[in-house]
Amino acid sequence: MSADCIFCKIARGEIPSKKVYEDEDVFAFHDIHPVAPVHFLIVPKLHLPSMYEANMAHHQALGKMLALAGELARQEGASDGFRTIINTGRVGHQEVYHVHMHVLGGPEPLGPMIMRKQRGA
Ligand code: 5GP
Ligand code: ZN
């Protein structure tokens, strides 16, 4: 738990969010700025700044994040596929330093995972 972490506050209910799922280890809620028709985040309740700090002590919450993704994606309307993303650190463009897995879904295909550079540019 970290006193001034925004996702800790969301997981504790101190900042409102559109909840998707909650159990003793994880909390899932809609992203405030969705970039796809289905876009929610799954976070561990324990404060973990990034995947660099993850270790086997966190395997239950991290495993649950993956194990729940399909069920929750389908529940939210992504019935024909989805994408999971965990951004880490500066190079990964992580903005909030509490581990979170984005779950993104259509109905339209999301496009390539990483924008390709223009040929010849
Ligand atoms: P990152 O770039 O760290 O992987 O993504 C952070 C995500 O958290 C962004 O997509 C952003 O829209 C979302 N986000 C940031 N602050 C809040 C908030 O207060 N509430 C919700 N629901 N999402 C947030
Ligand atoms: Zn936190």
Side-chain angles (χ1 to χ4, degrees):
M1 178 167 115
S2 175
D4 53 2
C5 167
I6 193 160
F7 285 177
C8 281
K9 287 182 178 169
I10 286 175
R12 291 199 297 266
E14 293 168 15
I15 291 178
S17 68
K18 279 179 69 185
K19 183 162 103 176
V20 169
Y21 175 86
E22 178 175 16
D23 67 22
E24 67 276 21
D25 296 309
V26 301
F27 192 87
F29 55 102
H30 287 264
D31 196 292
I32 204 164
H33 294 127
V35 298
V38 174
H39 187 180
F40 62 90
L41 307 172
I42 312 179
V43 307
K45 283 193 167 175
L46 183 85
H47 180 74
L48 178 64
S50 84
M51 288 302 285
Y52 277 128
E53 287 76 30
N55 60 49
M56 285 306 290
H58 309 110
H59 83 276
Q60 181 158 318
L62 294 174
K64 271 191 181 179
M65 287 162 60
L66 280 171
L68 284 163
E71 180 187 337
L72 298 182
R74 197 175 276 122
Q75 174 189 304
E76 293 303 307
S79 56
D80 198 20
F82 62 93
R83 178 174 295 153
T84 52
I85 300 173
I86 303 178
N87 294 320
T88 300
R90 181 182 67 86
V91 169
H93 249 276
Q94 184 176 359
E95 288 175 4
V96 176
Y97 277 78
H98 176 131
V99 164
H100 49 283
M101 187 169 78
H102 296 257
V103 180
L104 300 151
E108 296 306 316
L110 297 166
M113 186 161 73
I114 295 174
M115 292 295 251
R116 291 168 196 265
K117 290 200 174 102
Q118 296 255 312
R119 273 178 220 274

